[in-house]
Structure formats: structure tokens, C-alpha cells
Amino acid sequence: ARPLLERALAILEKSRGPEHPDTAAGLNSLAALMLAQNEPAAARPLLERALAIHEKALGPEHPGNATILNNLAAALKGLGDFAAARSRFARALAITERAHGPDHPETATSLSNLATTLRAMGDPAAARPMLERALAIQEKALGRDHPRTATTLNNLAGVLQDLGDLRAARPLGERALALREKLLGPDHPDTAQSVVNLALLLRAIGDLPAARPLFERVQATCETK
């Protein structure tokens, strides 16, 4: 896919010009693939250029800026610059809320992005209400059985565990695992993440009989690989 996206970008730059919004879209698409390939350093300059083009051509409050900002923030987060990532995620959230409204799934995604960054910065108390709001939006707009809902459940359980509210975290972690197994299958990486998270949570609670089969499952997966 990468050579094709690089070729498409070259065509856009030649046919549309280096300052056209379509060129910005091409830069964003290529950078998104780089992020998926765990190359945030390579993605960052493309996204910074895409954002500058988009803002100049369409204005700083255009809804399309939010997508680029979210990707740029993800690149910055991947590089360890959490403060810079936080500001980009916050701006993307503000743009998304204005463009789509407070109850839109994209608003929920922006809330989750910002919340997970706040948690990574050591502020789970600030992350909690954002994830609770994101979960409420997703359950209403996407349904209780949706992969995004499962992800938010998993993240909120982690935040509650950070805050020491282990008993409140448990049903969320259990529900996240059940959803991921149902929607993604038992061998999906996200399912494996939920297995590990729930096992650690149950151990922290002191429910070793419930934690043990999950740890055994993790061990079996590692031995298979």
C-alpha cells in the first residue's frame, strides 16, 4: 500500500499543486499508514505539512482539520511528546464538537483520544469523566455491542484501576473482554490485551481463582507463539 500512496501523493502534488487540500489529504493518508507501521517520526512532518495546507486553504476551524490533528497528536504521542499531543487532541475535540455536535461518535473518539493521553501523562482523574462521556455517546449512537464501545470500556476500566476503584473497574473489564471475544474473536490482539488487563485487575482485587485461568490463557498464547 505504501508505494501506491506515495505515487498518489506525487500525482496530486503535480496535478493539484503543493498547496491544494487534495494534496493535504494525500499527505494525511500516507502518514496514517506510517503510523500504522509504527513510524511516528516519519509521519510527523507529513502531518504538519498537511495541517498547514488545510488550514491555509479552508480555515483553522474546518472539520477536516480534526482528522489531521488527531493523526498528528498520535504521532507526537508515539514520539513521547505527550504535552504537544494533548494540545492537538484538545483542539481536534473542540473542532469535532462544533462540527458534529456533543453526541456524535466522532466526538466520542476525540474524547477517548484526549483521555488516554491524559492517563499516559499521569492524570487519570481528568481522563475519567471524558471516558465516561465517550462511553455514554457510543452506547447510544453505536450500540452496546460495538468494537469502539469495547475499547472505551477497556480504557475506562484501566483509569478506574489507576484511581484505586477496583470494584468499579471489574465489571467494565469483564464486559470489554466479553465484547472483544464476541466481536473480534479469541485470538485478536485487542482481545489479548483485555485478557491481560482483566487478569491483572483480578489479581489486584485478590480474586486469584478468577485471575488464574486468564493468566494461564496468556501463558498458553505466549508458548504457542
Side-chain angles (χ1 to χ4, degrees):
R2 187 160 174 170
L4 295 175
L5 287 173
E6 289 171 342
R7 183 181 170 196
L9 175 58
I11 293 170
L12 287 168
E13 285 192 292
K14 183 176 181 180
S15 62
R16 303 284 190 176
E19 302 298 323
H20 196 278
D22 289 349
T23 300
L27 287 162
N28 182 65
S29 295
L30 178 56
L33 177 61
M34 290 174 172
L35 287 175
Q37 295 175 325
N38 197 29
E39 296 183 38
R44 178 178 180 174
L46 301 186
L47 291 164
E48 289 174 336
R49 184 183 161 205
L51 182 61
I53 294 169
H54 217 264
E55 288 181 324
K56 182 178 179 181
L58 302 173
E61 301 303 318
H62 190 276
N65 292 335
T67 300
I68 302 172
L69 281 163
N70 276 321
N71 286 336
L72 177 56
L76 291 165
K77 189 176 178 181
L79 293 169
D81 193 346
F82 293 106
R86 175 181 178 174
S87 68
R88 271 61 169 196
F89 277 136
R91 189 176 160 213
L93 171 59
I95 291 171
T96 301
E97 273 197 291
R98 281 195 294 270
H100 300 295
D103 300 320
H104 194 277
E106 291 303 317
T107 300
T109 298
S110 288
L111 283 163
S112 294
N113 288 339
L114 181 55
T116 54
T117 303
L118 289 167
R119 183 190 179 195
M121 295 175 73
D123 193 357
R128 178 177 181 171
M130 293 184 181
L131 288 171
E132 288 173 335
R133 184 181 160 203
L135 180 61
I137 294 169
Q138 289 167 338
E139 287 184 323
K140 183 178 179 180
L142 302 175
R144 292 175 61 85
D145 292 352
H146 192 279
R148 290 193 197 179
T149 304
T151 297
T152 304
L153 283 164
N154 182 75
N155 291 335
L156 181 54
V159 163
L160 290 170
Q161 185 172 358
D162 291 347
L163 292 169
D165 196 349
L166 304 184
R167 307 244 171 232
R170 179 172 183 167
L172 301 184
E174 290 173 336
R175 187 177 154 209
L177 174 56
L179 267 180
R180 283 177 161 176
E181 286 185 313
K182 175 183 175 182
L183 298 172
L184 305 175
D187 300 321
H188 193 277
D190 289 349
T191 304
Q193 179 195 55
S194 283
V195 171
V196 172
N197 291 346
L198 183 56
L200 294 172
L201 173 59
L202 291 170
R203 185 174 68 180
I205 290 172
D207 191 348
L208 298 182
R212 182 173 179 175
L214 295 177
F215 280 118
E216 290 173 345
R217 181 174 167 185
V218 173
Q219 184 179 7
T221 301
C222 293
E223 289 174 351
T224 302
K225 291 182 179 179

